[in-house]
Amino acid sequence: MATFLCVEHISKRFGGVIALADVSLEIEHGQIVGLVGENGSGKSTLIKILSGVYTPDQGVIYIKDHHYKRLAPIQAIREGISVIYQDFALCPNLSVAENIAIARWVFSGRRMINWRHVYQEAEKALRQITDQIPLEAEVGQLSAADRQIVAIARALLEQAQLIIMDEPTTALTEKEIASLFTILRRLREEGIAVLFVSHKLHEVKEICDRIVVLRDGRKVYDGAAAEADIETLQVYMTGRVVEPVKLAAHPPAGEQLPLLRAKELTLKPHFSGITFELRRNEVLGITGLLGSGRRELALALIGVLRPTSGEIEIEGRRVKIKHIWDAWKLGIAYVPEDRINEGLHLPCPITANVILPSLPRLSGTLGFFNYRAHRNLGERWRRELGIKAPSAETPVRNLSGGNQQRVVLAKCLATEPKILVLNSPTMGVDVASKAAIHRFIRALCEKGIGIILISDDIPELLQTCDRILILKRGRIAHRLYSHEVTETLLHKMLMEE
Amino acid sequence: MPNFARRLLGRHEVILFGIVIVISIVIGVFNRAFLSLATIFEILRGAIPFALMGLGILPVLLLGEVDISFVGVAATTSLVAHTLLHDMGYAGGIGGYILIALPLGAAIALMVGLISGVFRLPVFAVSLGFWLMLYGFNLFFISPEMRFDLPEGLVGFYNHFLIKVQDPIVGETGLHVAVVYVLFAAVAIWVVLRHTVIGRGFYIMGGNREVAVRTGYNLVKLLCVAMAVNGALAALAGVLQCAYKRFFDPILFRGAELYVIAAVVIGGTSITGGRGSVIGVLLGVIFVQVITRGLIYLGVEPTWQQFVVGCMLVIFFILTSLRARLLGGLSGRSGLTRGEGK
């Protein structure tokens, strides 16, 4: 097949930091290329060079038979390179049709808008990939998966030859990922190339024809996806062998009172008749597809949602959790999946973030709080969890994703919880940090904390959990011991109706 | 067509129109005089300057900015126009005033837009400064007193009607000619917002600034266009209001910016940008007028009116929020549950 894009010996440095060093890459028409690498490996720099946002210090870019020393964003678009960012760059207040077609109207230099044409163009682009989404729907009302499809349709309308997708599966569930892959395969048949940038090696291996691995700004691997196995890729990515967490052979026996017992918890339409126990020294996995109620169940355990019926017992004592503060008081801590919006105050330093939920416990008379007296708390947790930051007074905004996740953990642990509810704790985190978080979860559970892990990452569930509950339409469909099942079996159980 | 009916009922504007009708009927039950053609025309005349200012502020709010200096612009431009024309011995009608005030208003507001665009400041901050500056300028440099010396051409302007009616209570009244200005401005802004690339730019910028930049919009230019329209319409409103009141006022509309913004927000315009319509603005302005007028007809003491209007606003906003929650479907959904589920 013909080569669409070829970059040769690209280098880019920012100040003293080398972001990319002598990277060469070729992408053919109708080829899906996986670009993997840990945070800071140079993936985003490469994306920005290909889309014309950054100019490389050295190296050349060939697109079809054109030769570029420097590529302007507008040239990249004209040459058919289209980037779909993680946030999709859509206007939530406008219709699907307008989001798809408006950019072309502006680019073409027209002043007036012909709505019939806008709808026709949008329809043509959208119907190439799906006929599920209505054109007049407001984008803000769509699910993440549908918004992504809208973004792809927009790229198609801009005559994209190469679609660069930055972490496209982060906000999607298994089912949605499967339908995204169907779309990508269809694009491949039409000769459109895709650069699939991701952390998730399983997905990259499944969808891509070729895989390129970056580490510390260098290309360390480039080969056919069929020939690469995941362990080798992991070694290329991290530069070392990441030990998977080994589970204790036997789940802890149920001797004393369970730490937490849920009886017939019901909150329609999210979940109903949920009964389970969580013991000390145990990690309980809860999984399910989109809309299965797993997220709502977690929120009910921490008092954000209130079940309409059912009971919760903690160490044999019946409790009512009406508010998130009740949960903190009872020793239940929650790590949300959306750490940026729900877990952190970005402009505040690590210390302030860590202390926040412990405030009632640490405050003195009349509720006054002496910030200075507890400053060392932040520093202690920074060291304990190995958060990479110059000091505990660093604003959380300046930290990388993995380190931000650690701050959220620290904040929960600082309350000295008995029960920890984790919602997708490794979403968007690179392989090495992921393994570290898994190890950390196991270590916590050895210390006697009961952990509920909500996740749809199947290897993660199998590696860290003692038992797994699968939710379907708000009910517990399966109860498993994780040493009894394999990845394929669990995947099948999750997907079947 | 139940689907069509449901979509219609889902529109904020339709609901608002229904509320205006219901309130009018309720007031009419207590005081028959309220439900007459004369009252409708009176309400419309009172609404004209506010409708113009509301239409002007709409593009600015769509961008996600808030401006309050437009009332100062209205006061300064009308007063400057009057001073200039009076010194020249002008005896004509409203035309001369509009000719001076409109471009001047556009220019002053453009300055606000340019300053906040170039120095990347929120319009609100800059407009706070301009609000004070403009009123201060009026009182210090032009005239600390109201000016009743209207030119001949302007004297009867209050009673220039397109349609006249005789009413037993109100006397002779009618549909004021300035309604034409409002209609013209409303249609023009509607066309711009709905059918031009720059008009869609206001919505795109209000929805997602990032997208506006990537699509190729010049954000400073968009802001300047919006502010210039805002200033021009405010100036027009100022001249009309002074002609109605029969005097030129250095502190014209001082405090009215809150009524205008409240009316526009009642009309469904989002204060954070990206949402709003011309019809909504007009209905919002009429809503506020109906309530203020209605209170007079109900015999509420003028000293109480502000309080009552304030209460009505708060109740209205609570109802809108409840309705949004009902339409959103699930009860008890907090901010934490957004995202998952359709």
Side-chain angles (χ1 to χ4, degrees):
Chain A
M1 247 186 240
T3 304
F4 168 69
L5 170 130
C6 173
V7 293
E8 278 174 6
H9 308 295
I10 293 274
S11 297
K12 177 82 187 168
R13 41 168 72 231
F14 296 100
V17 184
I18 298 168
L20 279 182
D22 196 29
V23 171
S24 300
L25 178 69
E26 227 176 87
I27 299 174
E28 288 169 10
H29 284 283
Q31 192 178 42
I32 304 180
V33 178
L35 179 64
V36 295
E38 303 205 280
N39 292 333
S41 60
K43 282 180 304 181
S44 22
T45 312
L46 185 57
I47 296 176
K48 285 190 173 144
I49 286 176
L50 293 181
S51 58
V53 178
Y54 291 158
T55 312
D57 299 334
Q58 275 162 26
V60 281
I61 303 170
Y62 297 96
I63 302 171
K64 282 175 279 187
D65 41 5
H66 297 133
H67 164 248
Y68 292 95
K69 265 266 171 218
R70 47 172 60 225
L71 187 71
I74 188 83
Q75 285 171 322
I77 293 168
R78 294 243 163 87
E79 289 283 8
I81 296 176
S82 187
V83 186
I84 296 174
Y85 292 93
Q86 258 174 297
D87 61 359
F88 310 135
L90 297 170
C91 287
N93 56 331
L94 300 180
S95 71
V96 169
E98 195 169 358
N99 266 290
I100 293 174
I102 201 78
R104 240 169 77 87
W105 281 85
V106 180
F107 272 128
S108 63
R110 276 173 277 203
R111 286 172 189 278
M112 299 300 285
I113 286 170
N114 181 334
W115 284 101
R116 231 188 38 203
H117 282 186
V118 165
Y119 269 79
Q120 279 169 359
E121 284 189 351
E123 177 152 32
K124 225 177 86 200
L126 188 63
R127 295 299 169 244
Q128 275 180 46
I129 37 183
T130 180
D131 41 352
Q132 300 291 322
I133 305 170
L135 282 166
E136 58 282 354
E138 208 176 271
V139 165
Q141 311 284 337
L142 300 180
S143 70
D146 287 351
R147 272 180 284 159
Q148 187 173 50
I149 290 170
V150 172
I152 296 174
R154 183 179 54 187
L156 291 180
L157 189 65
E158 287 164 12
Q159 310 284 323
Q161 300 286 307
L162 168 66
I163 299 179
I164 302 175
M165 304 189 83
D166 188 9
E167 301 283 351
T169 59
T170 312
L172 308 187
T173 53
E174 295 276 347
K175 226 177 198 166
E176 293 168 327
I177 291 171
S179 66
L180 171 69
F181 285 0
T182 318
I183 290 170
L184 293 187
R185 291 196 185 100
R186 205 175 304 161
L187 295 180
R188 173 167 61 188
E189 278 164 30
E190 285 167 27
I192 294 168
V194 176
L195 185 65
F196 188 94
V197 185
S198 179
H199 278 116
K200 299 182 184 169
L201 291 172
H202 286 86
E203 291 168 3
V204 172
K205 191 165 158 41
E206 186 186 336
I207 185 71
C208 296
D209 304 310
R210 226 177 79 217
I211 297 178
V212 173
V213 182
L214 291 184
R215 188 175 79 232
D216 300 329
R218 290 171 192 282
K219 187 167 87 171
V220 290
Y221 179 87
D222 187 344
E227 289 158 21
D229 69 291
I230 285 168
E231 284 73 31
T232 330
L233 288 175
Q234 244 174 36
V235 174
Y236 277 117
M237 258 173 88
T238 55
R240 65 198 145 88
V241 182
V242 180
E243 288 282 326
V245 179
K246 289 280 183 316
L247 263 192
H250 295 287
E255 351 72 52
Q256 359 78 314
L257 272 173
L259 203 50
L260 178 135
R261 173 183 288 161
K263 251 193 225 159
E264 293 293 320
L265 281 188
T266 301
L267 174 60
K268 279 181 176 151
H270 302 303
F271 55 83
S272 59
I274 303 281
T275 302
F276 67 88
E277 286 179 359
L278 174 73
R279 298 178 180 282
R280 261 176 235 289
N281 305 82
E282 184 184 46
V283 182
L284 175 68
I286 298 182
T287 186
L289 296 174
L290 180 84
S292 63
R294 56 183 170 144
R295 177 181 162 84
E296 286 77 8
L297 178 60
L299 292 177
L301 292 177
I302 56 155
V304 173
L305 293 177
R306 276 172 234 166
T308 44
S309 65
E311 289 173 16
I312 297 177
E313 279 178 17
I314 289 182
E315 294 176 309
R317 205 160 48 85
R318 227 185 118 176
V319 294
K320 278 225 173 330
I321 308 172
K322 288 186 178 163
H323 192 270
I324 201 153
W325 284 110
D326 294 340
W328 290 120
K329 262 184 239 154
L330 289 164
I332 306 176
Y334 177 64
V335 178
E337 67 184 320
D338 181 356
R339 55 180 172 261
I340 306 286
N341 288 318
E342 293 171 15
L344 292 170
H345 293 274
L346 292 179
C348 297
I350 295 174
T351 313
N353 272 287
V354 169
I355 289 176
L356 191 59
S358 318
L359 274 179
R361 200 163 45 82
L362 300 175
S363 305
T365 38
L366 294 173
F368 284 104
F369 176 75
N370 187 344
Y371 185 79
R372 246 178 257 166
H374 297 287
R375 228 180 210 179
N376 52 353
L377 242 171
E379 190 55 38
R380 205 188 90 206
W381 282 104
R382 185 181 75 82
R383 252 181 267 136
E384 201 147 316
L385 293 185
I387 299 168
K388 278 186 203 133
S391 87
E393 299 307 306
T394 313
V396 173
R397 178 181 289 146
N398 301 353
L399 304 182
S400 72
N403 283 314
Q404 285 182 347
Q405 184 64 297
R406 282 175 209 181
V407 176
V408 180
L409 265 176
K411 161 185 146 176
C412 291
L413 296 174
T415 63
E416 292 163 16
K418 291 182 231 160
I419 298 164
L420 191 58
V421 183
L422 300 156
N423 195 350
S424 312
T426 59
M427 196 169 86
V429 166
D430 59 61
V431 179
S433 300
K434 205 168 181 175
I437 289 174
H438 290 166
R439 262 196 300 277
F440 191 72
I441 291 174
R442 288 312 304 183
L444 283 177
C445 125
E446 310 278 291
K447 280 189 202 155
I449 295 179
I451 294 170
I452 295 177
L453 173 71
I454 292 156
S455 174
D456 53 8
D457 184 335
I458 288 171
E460 170 169 296
L461 287 165
L462 289 176
Q463 276 171 32
T464 43
C465 300
D466 300 296
R467 286 187 299 136
I468 298 169
L469 306 179
I470 301 181
L471 292 192
K472 275 194 185 153
R473 294 209 192 90
R475 293 183 169 276
I476 297 179
H478 301 281
R479 294 163 190 272
L480 315 158
Y481 284 101
S482 51
H483 64 268
E484 295 171 345
V485 282
T486 60
E487 266 184 42
T488 12
L489 187 61
L490 187 57
H491 189 257
K492 216 182 101 200
M493 289 169 114
L494 192 60
M495 301 303 290
E496 77 194 357
E497 283 304 312
Chain B
M1 289 205 274
N3 202 4
F4 176 74
R6 197 186 305 152
R7 254 191 22 219
L8 203 65
L9 277 178
R11 301 268 312 178
H12 183 87
E13 289 86 348
V14 177
I15 304 283
L16 187 58
F17 185 70
I19 293 177
V20 169
I21 298 290
V22 169
I23 289 182
S24 307
I25 291 172
V26 169
I27 297 170
V29 168
F30 288 99
N31 188 339
R32 280 292 161 81
F34 190 74
L35 292 181
S36 70
L37 210 52
T39 317
I40 292 174
F41 287 156
E42 288 283 299
I43 285 175
L44 284 180
R45 180 165 60 184
I48 286 167
F50 289 91
L52 287 170
M53 288 191 284
L55 289 170
I57 195 82
L58 177 63
V60 182
L61 288 172
L62 286 177
L63 287 174
E65 299 284 359
V66 180
D67 170 66
I68 61 160
S69 67
F70 63 94
V71 282
V73 171
T76 301
T77 51
S78 55
L79 199 59
V80 166
H82 179 66
T83 316
L84 286 176
L85 289 172
H86 189 263
D87 291 353
M88 282 160 55
Y90 179 76
I94 193 110
Y97 282 86
I98 293 175
L99 222 56
I100 294 176
L102 214 87
L104 185 63
I108 299 175
L110 193 65
M111 240 155 71
V112 178
L114 268 177
I115 291 174
S116 60
V118 171
F119 295 101
R120 301 190 175 201
L121 295 163
V123 170
F124 184 68
V126 181
S127 76
L128 276 174
F130 267 76
W131 190 95
L132 287 168
M133 264 165 57
L134 289 167
Y135 283 118
F137 178 84
N138 290 355
L139 292 168
F140 190 78
F141 287 104
I142 312 180
S143 157
E145 286 158 356
M146 299 166 186
R147 304 204 33 179
F148 293 88
D149 43 5
L150 294 197
E152 244 169 75
L154 217 51
V155 170
F157 185 74
Y158 184 71
N159 289 324
H160 283 189
F161 298 124
L162 289 174
I163 309 165
K164 263 188 206 162
V165 288
Q166 289 293 337
D167 190 87
I169 301 157
V170 187
E172 191 188 80
T173 183
L175 184 62
H176 197 269
V177 281
V179 163
V180 178
Y181 299 144
V182 176
L183 281 181
F184 184 75
V187 171
I189 290 194
W190 182 80
V191 169
V192 168
L193 289 182
R194 181 76 193 148
H195 291 290
T196 67
V197 166
I198 195 161
R200 296 322 285 174
F202 297 141
Y203 285 94
I204 295 175
M205 185 166 159
N208 190 335
R209 238 159 231 254
E210 208 42 34
V211 175
V213 175
R214 281 183 201 164
T215 311
Y217 280 106
N218 179 340
L219 300 192
V220 177
K221 194 172 133 194
L222 277 180
L223 180 60
C224 286
V225 171
M227 284 303 291
V229 170
N230 182 27
L233 288 179
L236 181 58
V239 170
L240 285 177
Q241 182 77 352
C242 291
Y244 286 156
K245 295 207 298 186
R246 304 181 188 89
F247 60 84
F248 285 83
D249 188 352
I251 55 164
L252 176 76
F253 286 140
R254 198 167 160 140
E257 67 276 7
L258 299 181
Y259 276 97
V260 175
I261 293 174
V264 174
V265 172
I266 285 172
T269 307
S270 162
I271 204 87
T272 50
R275 258 170 236 282
S277 69
V278 167
I279 302 287
V281 167
L282 296 180
L283 283 170
V285 169
I286 286 173
F287 176 86
V288 172
Q289 282 294 319
V290 165
I291 289 182
T292 29
R293 293 277 162 146
L295 291 177
I296 300 172
Y297 279 82
L298 290 181
V300 175
E301 277 196 47
T303 39
W304 266 95
Q305 273 176 27
Q306 265 192 13
F307 179 79
V308 178
V309 173
C311 290
M312 300 278 296
L313 289 192
V314 173
I315 292 168
F316 179 85
F317 288 131
I318 291 173
L319 287 179
T320 335
S321 156
L322 285 177
R323 179 175 148 263
R325 213 180 283 185
L326 281 177
L327 286 181
L330 305 161
S331 58
R333 275 170 81 95
S334 77
L336 279 171
T337 55
R338 85 191 122 64
E340 261 191 311
K342 292 191 225 181

